[in-house]
Amino acid sequence: MARRLTFALHPRWLALHALVAAACVTMVLLGRWQWQVAQHRHGAVQNYSYALQWWAFTVFALVMWVHVLRDARRADEPQPVGVGDNPLPAGVGDKPRPADGAAEPVAYRRYVMPQSTSSGTRSMDPELAAYNDYLRALSDADEARP
């Protein structure tokens, strides 16, 4: 187990550990301070809830930090290439892999902006056309004002 977490001893990770530790200590102290304020105000529920909220933030930060470390560890581990990699039945969707075993690049679709229909063509929907005429009349009236 310790060998799998050696990546977390690099200087960049140590700085992030220190940042998370400082944030957690700060949140615990803020919760403690809110608890003391609540006691001075003879049981102010609002301050008690703030104290519990700060401590919940601390727990959340620690849980998220564990998830970040786990995800980083999984990213560093080599992924085994086995028979069960293709979820489809044999022969369905099989593509030849490159000779070096590299994965094919993912093809992303480029976003294409919809073309405006205001280039002289009228809409087939009469209600939409009437609404657009109304908006055009309002715009013309605004432009006519001094």
Side-chain angles (χ1 to χ4, degrees):
M1 169 104 175
R3 289 182 57 194
R4 291 190 292 178
L5 294 177
T6 56
F7 73 92
L9 298 177
H10 292 263
R12 180 179 69 101
W13 282 100
L14 291 176
L16 292 173
H17 294 322
L19 178 69
V20 170
C24 288
V25 167
T26 301
M27 289 186 282
V28 166
L29 292 176
L30 284 170
R32 187 173 157 209
W33 170 71
Q34 284 290 345
W35 193 268
Q36 291 171 353
V37 169
Q39 288 177 346
H40 287 297
R41 293 188 180 177
H42 305 292
V45 175
Q46 182 178 13
N47 293 106
Y48 280 127
S49 61
Y50 284 152
L52 295 175
Q53 186 178 19
W54 279 115
W55 294 331
F57 288 160
T58 305
V59 171
F60 177 75
L62 290 174
V63 167
M64 290 308 297
W65 187 243
V66 168
H67 281 280
V68 166
L69 287 173
R70 187 185 65 190
D71 291 344
R73 183 196 67 202
R74 285 183 182 166
D76 286 346
E77 290 178 355
Q79 299 298 323
V81 178
V83 178
D85 286 346
N86 192 353
L88 298 174
V92 178
D94 287 342
K95 293 182 182 178
R97 288 192 167 233
D100 62 353
E104 293 181 25
V106 177
Y108 291 101
R109 290 181 52 190
R110 198 179 110 231
Y111 177 74
V112 178
M113 183 82 160
Q115 298 298 319
S116 174
T117 59
S118 64
S119 61
T121 61
R122 300 291 293 176
S123 173
M124 300 305 265
D125 184 12
E127 187 177 342
L128 180 61
Y131 182 68
N132 286 336
D133 290 338
Y134 170 71
L135 291 176
R136 193 173 300 110
L138 286 176
S139 177
D140 293 341
D142 280 345
E143 289 176 2
R145 280 193 200 162

